[in-house]
Amino acid sequence: MKNIISLLKLIYSGLLEEDLYFKELFSDYEEYHATSKISTLSILRANLISDWIKPYSSILDVGCGEGFFMEFLSRTKNCKVYGMDVSKKAIEIVRSKGFKGIVRDIDENGLGLSENEKYDYILFVEVLEHLKYPHKVLIEACKHVKEGVIVTLPNTGYIYWRLQMLRGYFPRQSFTHLHFWSINDFYIFLRQLHLKPLALKTNLPTKGVRGLIARHFKNLLAYQQCWLIAPLE
């Protein structure tokens, strides 16, 4: 109850005006990667998805940015990780860290993988919501994995965004987002694509009374959704 009261105070405190909405304005992803920093959310996502990934796996990190997840999985799981990103600056940084990476606009050109090219996992960490045609890239990725495709997304069904709507503001987590999925929305999205979700994780607790509440109200209380999606044969 205290957390909900605090959230209500925040939303009506004036902190959600133009300065917050447009704090991420930038000209292109080259400019973004010149100034971006590792966030606590990146660490949260890494911890959420790492249990799904088997040690010594091969991984393609799509939208890898400056290689945070590549470093994390290489260090903690001894994985062989490759990067792909639209930003030349980001891939330069990835290569400077000793990883292989290529520059590619997947919205325009897809993943560009050869027919027999497969990875144990392909990652889309906060990527699909930025794409014009996310369904095309996701289906393509599911044809090139042995274990599964991992997707992380903000949950637009989170109470924070719902209360913003009540206040009259559209819940755009970032001005670069083109799609807005709640947990329920993304499940329907996968079903329409005939893709099978193997597992779902959120930032919510999983044990005890709090875990029980979280399971029943995850679409309201979780701000992060992470999916493990089965390969397509």
Side-chain angles (χ1 to χ4, degrees):
M1 181 60 71
K2 288 183 179 179
N3 290 339
I4 293 175
I5 292 172
S6 297
L7 181 60
L8 286 168
K9 287 180 178 178
L10 174 63
I11 288 178
Y12 283 92
S13 67
L15 294 177
L16 299 178
E17 301 295 347
E18 291 185 4
D19 61 331
L20 180 60
Y21 271 115
F22 298 104
K23 68 179 181 179
E24 293 185 4
L25 282 174
F26 51 89
S27 300
D28 54 35
Y29 285 106
E30 305 302 337
E31 179 183 333
Y32 174 80
H33 286 292
T35 59
S36 63
K37 301 289 189 298
I38 295 173
S39 69
T40 54
L41 278 177
S42 295
I43 298 170
L44 168 74
R45 293 173 193 126
N47 288 327
L48 283 173
I49 69 175
S50 63
D51 287 344
W52 287 334
I53 296 174
K54 298 176 182 178
Y56 304 101
S57 296
S58 61
I59 297 172
L60 175 62
D61 186 358
V62 180
C64 62
E66 296 162 33
F68 168 76
F69 283 91
M70 300 176 75
E71 289 183 286
F72 179 85
L73 294 172
S74 176
R75 184 179 70 253
T76 62
K77 296 282 185 171
N78 292 303
C79 292
K80 192 170 185 178
V81 193
Y82 304 87
M84 182 181 292
D85 201 278
V86 70
S87 167
K88 293 180 181 179
K89 178 66 175 177
I91 293 300
E92 285 175 5
I93 296 172
V94 162
R95 290 171 179 168
S96 72
K97 295 176 179 179
F99 295 102
K100 293 182 179 179
I102 63 169
V103 178
R104 190 171 184 85
D105 185 342
I106 61 171
D107 228 347
E108 297 298 328
N109 305 305
L111 297 176
L113 304 178
S114 62
E115 185 177 350
N116 297 321
E117 187 175 354
K118 288 206 172 184
Y119 299 87
D120 292 314
Y121 304 91
I122 295 180
L123 307 186
F124 294 96
V125 179
E126 309 297 292
V127 170
L128 293 187
E129 64 271 26
H130 298 267
L131 303 180
K132 290 182 288 187
Y133 306 108
H135 57 293
K136 294 181 180 180
V137 177
L138 185 56
I139 290 172
E140 183 183 0
C142 287
K143 295 177 181 178
H144 291 274
V145 289
K146 300 173 185 176
E147 300 291 340
V149 172
I150 294 174
V151 173
T152 81
L153 301 159
N155 173 29
T156 307
Y158 179 42
I159 186 173
Y160 181 90
W161 307 115
R162 297 190 193 200
L163 290 173
Q164 275 195 332
M165 284 289 287
L166 287 177
R167 196 178 176 214
Y169 295 98
F170 185 76
R172 54 186 183 276
Q173 297 93 1
S174 165
F175 85 100
T176 60
H177 290 190
L178 303 180
H179 302 274
F180 301 87
W181 286 289
S182 69
I183 292 172
N184 293 346
D185 288 327
F186 199 73
Y187 177 76
I188 293 171
F189 178 71
L190 293 177
R191 190 170 62 191
Q192 289 178 330
L193 299 180
H194 305 291
L195 299 179
K196 180 182 178 182
L198 298 175
L200 165 66
K201 284 187 179 182
T202 71
N203 58 291
L204 298 174
T206 58
K207 297 180 180 178
V209 176
R210 295 178 66 193
L212 180 64
I213 294 172
R215 283 193 295 274
H216 284 87
F217 297 100
K218 57 182 176 291
N219 198 43
L220 177 68
L221 301 177
Y223 56 80
Q224 184 69 61
Q225 52 179 316
C226 305
W227 296 84
L228 176 62
I229 303 166
L232 271 178
E233 299 298 331

